[in-house]
Amino acid sequence: MGKSDTMWKIKGIAASAGIAIGTIVHMQEAVHDFCRLVDASQAPAEKERFYTAQQAAEKELEILQERTAINMGEQQAEVFAAHKLMVTDPSFVEVVLNHIDNHQASAEAAVEDAANEIAAMFAGLDSEYMQERAADIKDIGKRLVRILQGGTAEVNYTGVLAAQDLLPSDTAALDLNYVSGFITALGGKTSHSSILARAAGIPAVVGVGSALEKLNNGDNVIVDGHVGEVLVNPEEDILNDYRLRIKKEQERAALLASVGHLPSETLDGHHIELACNIGTPGDMEKVIAAGAEGVGLFRTEFLFLDKTSVPTEEEQVESYKAVLAAMPDKKIVIRTLDAGGDKQLPFIGGLPEANPALGLRAIRLCMVYQDVFKTQLRALLRASVAGNLHIMFPMIATVDELLSAKALLNEAAKELTQEGIPYKSDVAVGIMVEVPAAAAIADILAEEVDFFSIGTNDLVQYTMAADRMNEHVAYLSDYFQPPVVRLIGNVAKAAQKAGKWVGMCGEMAGDPLATPLLVGLGLTELSMNGRAVPVVKHRIRQLDIKQTQKWADDILSLRTASDIKKRLEEIALQFEI
């Protein structure tokens, strides 16, 4: 048999575009050896072990959500917000406890059996979307069993990863320096692993079925994520053809990289500031590498979420200073604590809320727990000497809320003055516009702030009255919905009239399709994950400001989200990338 006879193809689903050439490495499933049955008298202890693992899983997912938001985007990170809800879902917990109480199951066996039962129920439904949620519940089960067994979450592979199914947390944990692509037997285009692969830029083919079993470790493969095809042991001329295609893709990437440190200016010289969203001081290296001009959103929750007590003022000062000092002459926008809702603080009690997204969260929580809030404000002011600090209050809905927050900031400043502790007295103060109420009175709020930053993720949710985690209303969760676009326009107009700058730190800011619209509406700062910076900058450098204003006026008159997207896609055709 000649070499040409040895090549064969696998057809699957094109889950994530791109081409990878490499050798197969099969994922090694963790094998946990645990006792499945325990004596009935041990049921209370097994329940306690389950509850402890549940809490540990929530913390892991909190961190994974934050990290994924930074590396892949807010929207992609929401899968782990959903996982947090699933870990504590009463119906899941009830099944676990039932296995412990009535089947003398160990905590590990109870979790595994409960996850398998619920996953099988999802897999049996008609909806493709619901079928793919089976992977999420399996992911939850694996995480809990691993924690119960004292295992770590590290995943280390080199090559093209082949797996029966790649769970969302597996995908988020892949080291892209070593994994060039992946192939799975199961999964679909809308599975969370596929969504995460696209966000991370990993070529992926999923749903190849039993063909996966024919792949051996060390097989040479081409993963064509554009068409959903895997070429196994390819001939040399085909390899050369794909190498040429990869070269062209790399040239495109190089083109984008080449604009990384060029000015973010339109053809007619208007500067649009591009910044990054970050979650920890350690993210500053990526900000600089991306060619960003600062930080448009530093989420401070990382300091609070995995703590059992309030982080000290000194601890906070050091973290804020580390970010400011990394780019001392650039604008650094630090958002005050945005906890509550789906981000509960272990050291703050309180009763469960029927609708936490509309409850005690962000600035509302901070104004209840003023001692926690004032400690953060003192830390921010003390850190201000290290750079160009901008303080941003989240979830402001009324003028009274804003004035109360500013009053507490002034109180913190007065204390520092009395104590002789240095700080900058001219720190800029702004708000995150993410509630329609704030957008509606933006002209009034503009009198009290130095800047606005629009958070589109929550602005869409609250404007459209659509839970962004509810797949049944997913069609409403679209930042191109006309009411959302009009609110963005209103905020930009109010800021311009008051002579204040207006930016955006939501998912929409990193979407190059939206860039001509946002520039045309008058936004002057866009903050996103680092991967999006070169693409958006390249788009900005091809724009003419007057033309974008005409496009924006035209788009504001359109009636549906699909009309707006279609118009923006027509506009995008004239750009190089």
Side-chain angles (χ1 to χ4, degrees), residues 303-360:
L303 277 165
F304 296 82
L305 292 174
D306 60 346
K307 297 290 194 307
T308 54
S309 59
V310 182
T312 66
E313 184 174 312
E314 292 300 327
E315 189 180 351
Q316 293 187 59
V317 169
E318 291 308 309
S319 290
Y320 305 147
K321 272 187 173 179
V323 172
L324 289 158
M327 298 181 89
D329 57 341
K330 300 295 184 184
K331 189 170 69 189
I332 305 292
V333 180
I334 300 184
R335 181 179 69 187
T336 58
L337 181 61
D338 184 9
D342 64 345
K343 291 180 276 190
Q344 293 297 319
L345 299 177
F347 49 84
I348 288 182
L351 297 173
E353 297 179 281
N355 197 339
L358 301 180
L360 195 62

Side-chain angles (χ1 to χ4, degrees), residues 102-114:
N102 300 320
H103 301 286
Q104 294 182 261
S106 64
E108 288 92 335
V111 165
E112 189 173 82
D113 292 345

Side-chain angles (χ1 to χ4, degrees), residues 8-284:
W8 53 287
K9 295 181 183 179
I10 298 174
K11 192 67 183 172
I13 298 167
S16 179
I19 297 168
I21 298 176
T23 54
I24 287 290
V25 54
H26 277 271
M27 184 174 180
Q28 299 299 310
E29 290 290 340
V31 178
H32 297 295
D33 184 18
F34 53 81
C35 178
R36 297 193 65 82
L37 293 176
V38 296
D39 188 86
S41 63
Q42 294 180 38
E46 292 303 299
K47 287 181 185 177
E48 194 58 38
R49 289 182 65 228
F50 167 66
Y51 291 134
T52 302
Q54 203 181 27
Q55 291 173 357
E58 282 189 278
K59 287 182 181 176
E60 278 190 3
L61 289 163
E62 200 78 65
I63 294 168
L64 192 55
Q65 182 184 356
E66 290 291 325
R67 188 189 306 158
T68 306
I70 297 303
N71 294 331
M72 303 182 187
E74 294 271 4
Q75 192 173 352
Q76 287 71 28
E78 287 180 0
V79 58
F80 299 113
H83 281 200
K84 279 190 298 178
L85 295 175
M86 293 166 80
V87 165
T88 55
D89 185 276
S91 57
F92 172 65
V93 174
E94 183 181 352
V95 179
V96 172
L97 298 184
N98 178 54
H99 277 278
I100 294 174
D101 281 331
N102 300 320
H103 301 286
Q104 294 182 261
S106 64
E108 288 92 335
V111 165
E112 189 173 82
D113 292 345
N116 287 339
E117 286 175 22
I118 296 172
M121 181 192 71
F122 279 129
L125 297 174
D126 291 335
S127 162
E128 181 186 357
Y129 180 89
M130 295 308 292
Q131 288 170 1
E132 288 174 352
R133 299 292 73 77
D136 293 308
I137 193 68
K138 284 183 182 176
D139 202 342
I140 293 300
K142 282 181 62 176
R143 181 178 298 281
L144 286 167
V145 170
R146 174 180 53 74
I147 292 170
L148 284 163
Q149 289 280 289
T152 65
E154 292 183 4
V155 181
N156 295 306
Y157 295 101
T158 300
V160 173
L161 187 62
Q164 190 67 20
D165 195 9
L166 205 54
L167 299 172
S169 53
D170 295 328
T171 311
L174 292 178
D175 187 336
L176 301 187
N177 292 314
Y178 299 101
V179 175
S180 54
F182 70 75
I183 308 162
T184 63
L186 305 177
K189 201 173 181 69
T190 59
S191 67
H192 280 137
S193 290
S194 297
I195 293 169
L196 291 171
R198 289 194 287 276
I202 312 174
V205 175
V206 303
V208 302
S210 59
L212 188 89
E213 299 168 10
K214 299 176 184 175
L215 289 171
N216 299 309
N217 281 331
D219 279 346
N220 291 317
V221 295
I222 297 170
V223 179
D224 188 341
H226 296 291
V227 297
E229 198 168 71
V230 180
L231 306 181
V232 187
N233 296 327
E235 301 161 1
E236 193 58 31
D237 57 338
I238 292 177
L239 267 173
N240 287 336
D241 179 51
Y242 273 90
R243 286 175 184 136
L244 189 61
R245 290 176 60 182
I246 289 175
K247 185 181 177 187
K248 288 181 179 175
E249 290 187 355
Q250 289 172 336
E251 287 172 352
R252 176 184 181 277
L255 173 62
L256 293 175
S258 70
V259 305
H261 294 279
L262 293 176
S264 177
E265 289 181 355
T266 60
L267 292 170
D268 47 347
H270 288 263
H271 179 239
I272 305 297
E273 191 172 354
L274 294 188
C276 278
N277 301 335
I278 66 168
T280 72
D283 296 325
M284 289 305 291

Side-chain angles (χ1 to χ4, degrees), residues 423-495:
Y423 67 94
K424 284 187 177 175
S425 59
D426 59 348
V427 171
V429 175
I431 66 168
M432 194 161 172
V433 179
E434 51 194 332
V435 181
I441 58 168
D443 57 330
I444 302 173
L445 291 168
E447 298 170 2
E448 298 292 339
V449 299
D450 297 305
F451 67 92
F452 289 136
S453 183
I454 301 169
T456 47
N457 300 342
D458 273 333
L459 185 62
V460 171
Q461 174 172 245
Y462 295 132
T463 301
M464 304 308 295
D467 182 349
R468 62 191 191 197
M469 301 305 298
N470 187 332
E471 72 277 9
H472 300 298
V473 293
Y475 68 98
L476 293 168
S477 295
D478 186 342
Y479 43 66
F480 289 124
Q481 288 286 355
V484 177
V485 172
R486 289 191 178 203
L487 284 178
I488 294 169
N490 288 345
V491 175
K493 192 174 178 181

